[in-house]
Amino acid sequence: MEYYNKVIESVGVRFIKGNNFKVERPVTVTDFTDTENTVVLLHQGSVRFGDDQEAVNEGEILFIPASRTSKVSFGTVTKKNEVNNEGFNENKKKFLQTISFKEIKNAEDDCITMLTFEAKVFDVVNFFHSLGIPPFVIRFNDRIASIIEDIIKESEATTPGKERVIKIHTELLVVEVVRHILKNRLFVEELSTNSTYFKDPRLIDMFNYIKKNIGGDLSNKVLARVANVSEDYVGQYFKMLTGINPQDYIEYQRMEAAVDLLRTTKKSIRDIGKDVGYKDTAYFCRRFKMMYGLPAGKMRRRESLINVQG
């Protein structure tokens, strides 16, 4: 239990966005994904996910870890209602209409609450993504459903201290999701084996160094010096503890940093690429599109549109 307490204490949490929606037009998103964790609470109607389109029951929550891809259906759909993730986000208002909790009670349509949040170990590693777990349903857990509703209600309010309350509720959400996993023994093996980075301070030193120097030289030679291991061994050492080789991890963190800059600054794509360690803008753009399925410019427009829509 002490180990899991350490895991939870090391996870930094941040609310990103959330809203209640009425399904205006049923849709299947063939490759639904987000750079952060997503929860979908089904109030009424139909939500399905995965290749076999497993059903989420009313009152249950679909959990999609950061950057995991899944086929997700909102409402009762046919084959012709399929779109990709890019098309869904660019035309979100066509499919989902924002509504209040009061409207949900009186609605006859499919209604959901969708919320995204960040959960990172040492502010560096996407916690749920790093576990390697797939999207799954949180069943029979009214407490988590209530927390999700409380976060959205608070985000809609204009009362003092709402940001603090949202942060507290979002942290509670993460704790309860981990507790749900442990109680129901859903991904306990993954939680035990894929979280080995908590056990080695040298790896933590590397995580912190990568974060602070995301735009600089992060070659294996540099990482070996940080961890005080040989250059020949550092790649094997990093992969043994994280399940990923260091350069793949670094690229993922650079792209995450790029997404954050796209969301929060007006810097050019060229400057953002340089800031996160890419001297060649064309190469940065190719890698970005390969990772997220859409160009950096479209990602910026998508995020702006989502923020406007709430």
Side-chain angles (χ1 to χ4, degrees), residues 169-228:
H169 282 322
T170 309
E171 288 178 343
L172 184 57
L173 172 62
V174 171
V175 172
E176 289 297 335
V177 169
V178 174
R179 284 178 174 177
H180 182 85
I181 289 171
L182 293 172
K183 181 181 178 182
N184 294 278
R185 304 197 64 78
L186 295 177
F187 306 104
V188 176
E189 185 177 339
E190 288 89 339
L191 201 58
S192 298
T193 59
N194 294 3
S195 302
T196 48
Y197 39 71
F198 293 102
K199 301 174 182 176
D200 195 320
R202 293 176 299 174
L203 189 63
I204 296 168
D205 287 342
M206 278 201 284
F207 283 153
N208 288 330
Y209 186 87
I210 290 167
K211 181 184 178 183
K212 291 175 184 175
N213 299 276
I214 199 68
D217 182 2
L218 294 174
S219 62
N220 280 7
K221 183 177 182 179
V222 171
L223 296 181
R225 189 172 67 244
V226 172
N228 196 26

Side-chain angles (χ1 to χ4, degrees), residues 35-128:
T35 53
E36 305 302 344
N37 307 285
T38 301
V39 288
V40 179
L41 168 61
L42 177 62
H43 295 284
Q44 60 193 41
S46 173
V47 169
R48 295 178 176 272
F49 76 103
D51 292 338
D52 58 354
Q53 289 291 272
E54 181 180 346
V56 179
N57 297 314
E58 293 180 1
E60 296 179 344
I61 300 120
L62 171 60
F63 183 90
I64 306 174
S67 299
R68 295 288 172 205
T69 300
S70 182
K71 184 177 182 179
V72 180
S73 298
F74 302 100
T76 304
V77 296
T78 60
K79 183 77 173 176
K80 66 180 181 180
N81 297 115
E82 290 188 352
V83 299
N84 61 22
N85 196 58
E86 182 179 351
F88 173 70
N89 283 304
E90 287 185 346
N91 301 280
K92 196 171 183 181
K93 284 184 96 172
K94 191 186 295 182
F95 304 112
L96 303 179
Q97 180 182 323
T98 305
I99 59 172
S100 66
F101 278 109
K102 186 177 180 181
E103 289 173 301
I104 288 175
K105 292 178 181 177
N106 301 318
E108 296 181 0
D109 306 273
D110 298 54
C111 297
I112 62 172
T113 296
M114 189 183 297
L115 183 155
T116 59
F117 65 93
E118 178 183 277
K120 290 188 174 180
V121 181
F122 308 112
D123 296 322
V124 178
V125 183
N126 262 320
F127 175 61
F128 291 106

